[in-house]
Amino acid sequence: MSAVWIDEQTATPESEITTEPKIGLEIHKLEKRLCRQVGQAVMDFNMIEDGDRVMVCLSGGKDSYGLLDILLKLQARAPIGFELIAVNLDQKQPGFPDHVLPDYLKKLGIAFHIETQDTYSIVKKVIAEGKTMCSLCSRLRRGILYRVADELNISKIALGHHRDDMLQTFFLNMFFGGKLKGMPPKLVSDDGGHIVIRPLANVAEKDLARWAVHRQFPIIPCSLCGSQQNLQRQQIGNMLREWEKKYPGRIESMFTALHNVVPSHLMDASRHNFKDLQTTGLPDTDGDRVFDDEEFTPPSLPAMQAIGI
Ligand code: SF4
């Protein structure tokens, strides 16, 4: 796939930035960064291919608006042809402003589909008062979106999860599930029938928040259903933000670590054949020096500079 995916020229040219100069320049850089990071993820994981029909799941939150916005920019200059179809599931939560997304999408002039299914009533009936409804709600949502994807002849389903969601999931699985397992950038859905992609995999949540303000997306609050968001996820999110405040660069380093897994230095015997290890008799400069070094790979120079070492 060509590097045109990460050509930054689709960002507003600097000469055309007419707002207050410093803010304009910041936004220009932000736009370039978002396009570059999404383009990179698309290339690295071969997320979008020629002829794909990509269903962009829109919830009305800042992340999914940002996803659609950046994918539209990339579509305009991609080296391949693909379609984007925005899909929203109206779950009939009380107070859901069902005109907001259609109005926005009509103005954009892009293909879209609004699926209306009253999952809210089902969840309310099944889940006892005061208990969190999210698990059943998202299971129902998932099933409906898979069906809609089939009906619309979709080849890829794009979700708006970003870098921070992925790290939070990694820690949730480690702290509460006893697994080193994150949120993949690309996967086959649990029903086996769909490819799900997360083109915002490299993007920081704070960048999406700033982009949403700049683009004045008509955000629909996600608390309409009155359910508590996953408390553990919130706690992990707070922990990560605290770490980043105290140790700038830590999030970046942890995110890089998700790309650099060394199974021979973990303890999963199904990933590395510890049992049959044999001496080779040959020195290996990359091999382990068991007795004189800590079992720790020092960070690279840029990483050390980032955390002020
Ligand atoms: S917050 Fe509400 S809409 Fe979102 S998953 Fe939970 S129950 Fe469903």
Side-chain angles (χ1 to χ4, degrees), residues 53 113 115 144-154 194:
R53 277 171 64 79
H113 172 80
E115 178 74 14
I144 294 166
L145 288 173
Y146 291 163
R147 173 181 56 73
V148 171
D150 286 336
E151 289 168 3
L152 298 177
N153 199 20
I154 292 297
H194 303 89

Side-chain angles (χ1 to χ4, degrees), residues 91 93 123 132-135 137-138 141 222-229:
Q91 297 177 273
Q93 291 140 345
V123 170
T132 175
M133 309 187 289
C134 297
S135 162
C137 175
S138 40
R141 185 167 49 221
C222 65
S223 52
L224 292 170
C225 62
S227 181
Q228 283 247 327
Q229 281 211 344

